Amino acid sequence: MSRYFSQGLFGRDLLGSIVVFLVALPLCMGIAIASGMPPAAGLMTGIIGGMVVGVFAGSPLQVSGPAAGLAVLVFELVSQHGVAALGPVVLLAGLIQIAAGLCRVGVWFRMCSPAVVAGMLSGIGVLIVASQLHVLIDAVPKARGLENFAALPGAIIDALRGDGGSLAAMAVGVGTMAIMLGWEKLRPARLRFVPGALLAVVALTAIVQVMELSVKKVDVPSNLFAAVSMPTWSSLSGLLEPSLLIAALTFAFIASAETLLSAAAVDRMHEGARTRYDRELTAQGMGNMLCGLLGALPMTGVIVRSAANVQAGSATRMATILHGAWILVFALLLPWLMRMTPVACLAGILVYTGIKMVNFRQVKALAVYGKGTAWIYVATTVAIVATDLLAGVLVGFALSLFRLALHSSRLKVGLDHHDEPGRASLRLEGSATFLRVPSVARTLERVPPNTRLQLVVDRLHHVDQACLELLREWSRNASSRGCELVVDWQQLNQRVEGVGRAA
């Protein structure tokens, strides 16, 4: 410990913790509102992410807390099953994460296709923008992304007329985004650690107070602990419902994937200790279990706060722990200050964040690895917006696996006619799987009648049952056209997975 202080590491961590605290505070409240939960639920998650997960994390410089990526899932869950269902679902998700960490499967979560992950984040960004544009004008968002887009023009017209929403709130939200954009483009190098979101909150809150504008304000309880809502036995028994079990699995998977991908990105930002993925996954599970017990939002490792932590020069996990302590102190001692914050201001921050998540320039970067990769990104994004997060991610995974199957079953099919009449060769090079059955079948259909066809398999690496049955069927029916298939069936059977080993 004396070495920690003597080397000046505490000073670096103290500055880093303050920077992360200033970034995290408005996001914790804004993400809670976007999730359909009170701001206190987001603050508690930020506190747990710092003071609990920060102690045990496998990625020392990663910061955990409520994430925009889970806001959509929470909103859907609360809309369909009520607030009481959130605690048990997050508790079970935490248990799943702990089990995964103890079983040492953390590194397997990194197996997610980057195109699917990028598409997931873009889809979430679109959904956040769609819902928070309603909150930005003090209107109530719909449950689905397409419904939000469809209802948005009417909501804006109502706000302009004064029939619903608030023109003043719209001005506050737009002003928030303008300040954040201007600060990002024009901030001096000396003040790079000052977050634009904080400047926007301070400036717009002051304007609202001075001008006494009639806009919705953040509702934070005087006693943060009064917001604790522990699950009841009846709510825990509801986990037997299949839809809630699926929700818990979805929370666990998406939170784990986002956390570990974020940890990998943080590792690339600094030269310090590398991430221990299984430990990180277990720590996240502990945090989510505690969040579930207290009725708080679920958490993940978040790249924006983690990047701010690294860029501020933090040296150890103490910066993450201290940032959680600052949130706790602020929430306990200055709740009246947070209650001055306009909801539209936090919505503006999330709209800005959502727009940044929708980075269609990634299409060009992903296309370097093949057009199929870029299309997986686009399809995942569209599917998430059109359906829901889980269905969209499953679509992305299915397309990734299909593309992998296509690439792994590359097959060159050649039909060579000999100089001698009535003789030809069918060459199969590569992997003959069920995906290549149409290609092989079309080639066999071109074989002229009264042909003795020699099957050449010297460069055939693998043949599956579907292609093997096609060749056998053609051989059985060949005599009806005066044809014959000449093949060393023993040699061909050795290309079938399992047969060669058994032999």
PDB file of all heavy atoms in Angstrom, residues 364-379:
ATOM      1  N   LYS A 364     -18.671  -0.469 -44.482  1.00  0.00           N
ATOM      2  CA  LYS A 364     -17.509  -0.463 -45.367  1.00  0.00           C
ATOM      3  C   LYS A 364     -16.351  -1.227 -44.737  1.00  0.00           C
ATOM      4  O   LYS A 364     -15.648  -1.990 -45.411  1.00  0.00           O
ATOM      5  CB  LYS A 364     -17.087   0.975 -45.673  1.00  0.00           C
ATOM      6  CG  LYS A 364     -15.958   1.090 -46.683  1.00  0.00           C
ATOM      7  CD  LYS A 364     -15.657   2.541 -47.009  1.00  0.00           C
ATOM      8  CE  LYS A 364     -14.533   2.649 -48.037  1.00  0.00           C
ATOM      9  NZ  LYS A 364     -14.226   4.077 -48.358  1.00  0.00           N
ATOM     10  N   ALA A 365     -16.155  -1.034 -43.418  1.00  0.00           N
ATOM     11  CA  ALA A 365     -15.061  -1.722 -42.726  1.00  0.00           C
ATOM     12  C   ALA A 365     -15.303  -3.231 -42.687  1.00  0.00           C
ATOM     13  O   ALA A 365     -14.374  -4.025 -42.878  1.00  0.00           O
ATOM     14  CB  ALA A 365     -14.918  -1.175 -41.311  1.00  0.00           C
ATOM     15  N   LEU A 366     -16.549  -3.641 -42.472  1.00  0.00           N
ATOM     16  CA  LEU A 366     -16.861  -5.068 -42.421  1.00  0.00           C
ATOM     17  C   LEU A 366     -16.807  -5.701 -43.802  1.00  0.00           C
ATOM     18  O   LEU A 366     -16.501  -6.892 -43.929  1.00  0.00           O
ATOM     19  CB  LEU A 366     -18.255  -5.269 -41.808  1.00  0.00           C
ATOM     20  CG  LEU A 366     -18.375  -4.956 -40.312  1.00  0.00           C
ATOM     21  CD1 LEU A 366     -19.841  -4.945 -39.902  1.00  0.00           C
ATOM     22  CD2 LEU A 366     -17.599  -5.971 -39.478  1.00  0.00           C
ATOM     23  N   ALA A 367     -17.115  -4.906 -44.833  1.00  0.00           N
ATOM     24  CA  ALA A 367     -17.115  -5.438 -46.194  1.00  0.00           C
ATOM     25  C   ALA A 367     -15.726  -5.875 -46.635  1.00  0.00           C
ATOM     26  O   ALA A 367     -15.585  -6.664 -47.579  1.00  0.00           O
ATOM     27  CB  ALA A 367     -17.663  -4.397 -47.167  1.00  0.00           C
ATOM     28  N   VAL A 368     -14.678  -5.365 -45.946  1.00  0.00           N
ATOM     29  CA  VAL A 368     -13.311  -5.803 -46.252  1.00  0.00           C
ATOM     30  C   VAL A 368     -13.180  -7.307 -46.057  1.00  0.00           C
ATOM     31  O   VAL A 368     -12.408  -7.982 -46.733  1.00  0.00           O
ATOM     32  CB  VAL A 368     -12.307  -5.040 -45.361  1.00  0.00           C
ATOM     33  CG1 VAL A 368     -10.896  -5.610 -45.525  1.00  0.00           C
ATOM     34  CG2 VAL A 368     -12.334  -3.553 -45.691  1.00  0.00           C
ATOM     35  N   TYR A 369     -13.965  -7.852 -45.106  1.00  0.00           N
ATOM     36  CA  TYR A 369     -13.918  -9.287 -44.809  1.00  0.00           C
ATOM     37  C   TYR A 369     -14.969 -10.063 -45.607  1.00  0.00           C
ATOM     38  O   TYR A 369     -15.242 -11.221 -45.299  1.00  0.00           O
ATOM     39  CB  TYR A 369     -14.137  -9.503 -43.315  1.00  0.00           C
ATOM     40  CG  TYR A 369     -13.123  -8.776 -42.470  1.00  0.00           C
ATOM     41  CD1 TYR A 369     -13.404  -7.527 -41.930  1.00  0.00           C
ATOM     42  CD2 TYR A 369     -11.868  -9.329 -42.240  1.00  0.00           C
ATOM     43  CE1 TYR A 369     -12.462  -6.850 -41.168  1.00  0.00           C
ATOM     44  CE2 TYR A 369     -10.923  -8.658 -41.486  1.00  0.00           C
ATOM     45  CZ  TYR A 369     -11.224  -7.419 -40.949  1.00  0.00           C
ATOM     46  OH  TYR A 369     -10.294  -6.757 -40.198  1.00  0.00           O
ATOM     47  N   GLY A 370     -15.556  -9.407 -46.589  1.00  0.00           N
ATOM     48  CA  GLY A 370     -16.545 -10.057 -47.443  1.00  0.00           C
ATOM     49  C   GLY A 370     -17.888  -9.346 -47.362  1.00  0.00           C
ATOM     50  O   GLY A 370     -18.284  -8.853 -46.298  1.00  0.00           O
ATOM     51  N   LYS A 371     -18.570  -9.279 -48.488  1.00  0.00           N
ATOM     52  CA  LYS A 371     -19.875  -8.619 -48.501  1.00  0.00           C
ATOM     53  C   LYS A 371     -20.863  -9.314 -47.570  1.00  0.00           C
ATOM     54  O   LYS A 371     -21.758  -8.670 -47.008  1.00  0.00           O
ATOM     55  CB  LYS A 371     -20.426  -8.593 -49.933  1.00  0.00           C
ATOM     56  CG  LYS A 371     -19.645  -7.685 -50.872  1.00  0.00           C
ATOM     57  CD  LYS A 371     -20.267  -7.660 -52.261  1.00  0.00           C
ATOM     58  CE  LYS A 371     -19.486  -6.736 -53.189  1.00  0.00           C
ATOM     59  NZ  LYS A 371     -20.071  -6.703 -54.554  1.00  0.00           N
ATOM     60  N   GLY A 372     -20.706 -10.624 -47.422  1.00  0.00           N
ATOM     61  CA  GLY A 372     -21.600 -11.355 -46.533  1.00  0.00           C
ATOM     62  C   GLY A 372     -21.525 -10.847 -45.103  1.00  0.00           C
ATOM     63  O   GLY A 372     -22.542 -10.761 -44.402  1.00  0.00           O
ATOM     64  N   THR A 373     -20.326 -10.486 -44.644  1.00  0.00           N
ATOM     65  CA  THR A 373     -20.153  -9.955 -43.295  1.00  0.00           C
ATOM     66  C   THR A 373     -20.914  -8.648 -43.126  1.00  0.00           C
ATOM     67  O   THR A 373     -21.582  -8.416 -42.112  1.00  0.00           O
ATOM     68  CB  THR A 373     -18.660  -9.736 -42.992  1.00  0.00           C
ATOM     69  OG1 THR A 373     -17.960 -10.966 -43.188  1.00  0.00           O
ATOM     70  CG2 THR A 373     -18.455  -9.254 -41.571  1.00  0.00           C
ATOM     71  N   ALA A 374     -20.814  -7.773 -44.128  1.00  0.00           N
ATOM     72  CA  ALA A 374     -21.530  -6.497 -44.069  1.00  0.00           C
ATOM     73  C   ALA A 374     -23.038  -6.712 -44.058  1.00  0.00           C
ATOM     74  O   ALA A 374     -23.783  -6.029 -43.335  1.00  0.00           O
ATOM     75  CB  ALA A 374     -21.123  -5.628 -45.252  1.00  0.00           C
ATOM     76  N   TRP A 375     -23.516  -7.672 -44.835  1.00  0.00           N
ATOM     77  CA  TRP A 375     -24.959  -7.937 -44.880  1.00  0.00           C
ATOM     78  C   TRP A 375     -25.462  -8.527 -43.564  1.00  0.00           C
ATOM     79  O   TRP A 375     -26.609  -8.281 -43.163  1.00  0.00           O
ATOM     80  CB  TRP A 375     -25.297  -8.855 -46.054  1.00  0.00           C
ATOM     81  CG  TRP A 375     -25.392  -8.137 -47.355  1.00  0.00           C
ATOM     82  CD1 TRP A 375     -24.552  -8.246 -48.422  1.00  0.00           C
ATOM     83  CD2 TRP A 375     -26.380  -7.160 -47.719  1.00  0.00           C
ATOM     84  NE1 TRP A 375     -24.945  -7.408 -49.432  1.00  0.00           N
ATOM     85  CE2 TRP A 375     -26.071  -6.730 -49.037  1.00  0.00           C
ATOM     86  CE3 TRP A 375     -27.479  -6.615 -47.072  1.00  0.00           C
ATOM     87  CZ2 TRP A 375     -26.823  -5.770 -49.694  1.00  0.00           C
ATOM     88  CZ3 TRP A 375     -28.242  -5.654 -47.727  1.00  0.00           C
ATOM     89  CH2 TRP A 375     -27.916  -5.249 -49.025  1.00  0.00           C
ATOM     90  N   ILE A 376     -24.624  -9.291 -42.877  1.00  0.00           N
ATOM     91  CA  ILE A 376     -25.008  -9.818 -41.563  1.00  0.00           C
ATOM     92  C   ILE A 376     -25.222  -8.659 -40.594  1.00  0.00           C
ATOM     93  O   ILE A 376     -26.176  -8.641 -39.810  1.00  0.00           O
ATOM     94  CB  ILE A 376     -23.932 -10.782 -41.037  1.00  0.00           C
ATOM     95  CG1 ILE A 376     -23.954 -12.085 -41.841  1.00  0.00           C
ATOM     96  CG2 ILE A 376     -24.139 -11.083 -39.547  1.00  0.00           C
ATOM     97  CD1 ILE A 376     -22.797 -13.002 -41.542  1.00  0.00           C
ATOM     98  N   TYR A 377     -24.338  -7.663 -40.651  1.00  0.00           N
ATOM     99  CA  TYR A 377     -24.477  -6.471 -39.800  1.00  0.00           C
ATOM    100  C   TYR A 377     -25.798  -5.756 -40.082  1.00  0.00           C
ATOM    101  O   TYR A 377     -26.556  -5.426 -39.161  1.00  0.00           O
ATOM    102  CB  TYR A 377     -23.292  -5.535 -40.058  1.00  0.00           C
ATOM    103  CG  TYR A 377     -23.483  -4.121 -39.559  1.00  0.00           C
ATOM    104  CD1 TYR A 377     -23.270  -3.803 -38.222  1.00  0.00           C
ATOM    105  CD2 TYR A 377     -23.863  -3.100 -40.426  1.00  0.00           C
ATOM    106  CE1 TYR A 377     -23.437  -2.515 -37.764  1.00  0.00           C
ATOM    107  CE2 TYR A 377     -24.036  -1.807 -39.982  1.00  0.00           C
ATOM    108  CZ  TYR A 377     -23.823  -1.523 -38.643  1.00  0.00           C
ATOM    109  OH  TYR A 377     -24.006  -0.240 -38.201  1.00  0.00           O
ATOM    110  N   VAL A 378     -26.079  -5.520 -41.365  1.00  0.00           N
ATOM    111  CA  VAL A 378     -27.305  -4.816 -41.744  1.00  0.00           C
ATOM    112  C   VAL A 378     -28.541  -5.627 -41.345  1.00  0.00           C
ATOM    113  O   VAL A 378     -29.506  -5.088 -40.786  1.00  0.00           O
ATOM    114  CB  VAL A 378     -27.310  -4.528 -43.260  1.00  0.00           C
ATOM    115  CG1 VAL A 378     -28.647  -3.939 -43.698  1.00  0.00           C
ATOM    116  CG2 VAL A 378     -26.168  -3.582 -43.631  1.00  0.00           C
ATOM    117  N   ALA A 379     -28.512  -6.940 -41.628  1.00  0.00           N
ATOM    118  CA  ALA A 379     -29.671  -7.788 -41.321  1.00  0.00           C
ATOM    119  C   ALA A 379     -29.934  -7.842 -39.817  1.00  0.00           C
ATOM    120  O   ALA A 379     -31.089  -7.817 -39.377  1.00  0.00           O
ATOM    121  CB  ALA A 379     -29.442  -9.195 -41.867  1.00  0.00           C
TER     122      ALA A 379
END
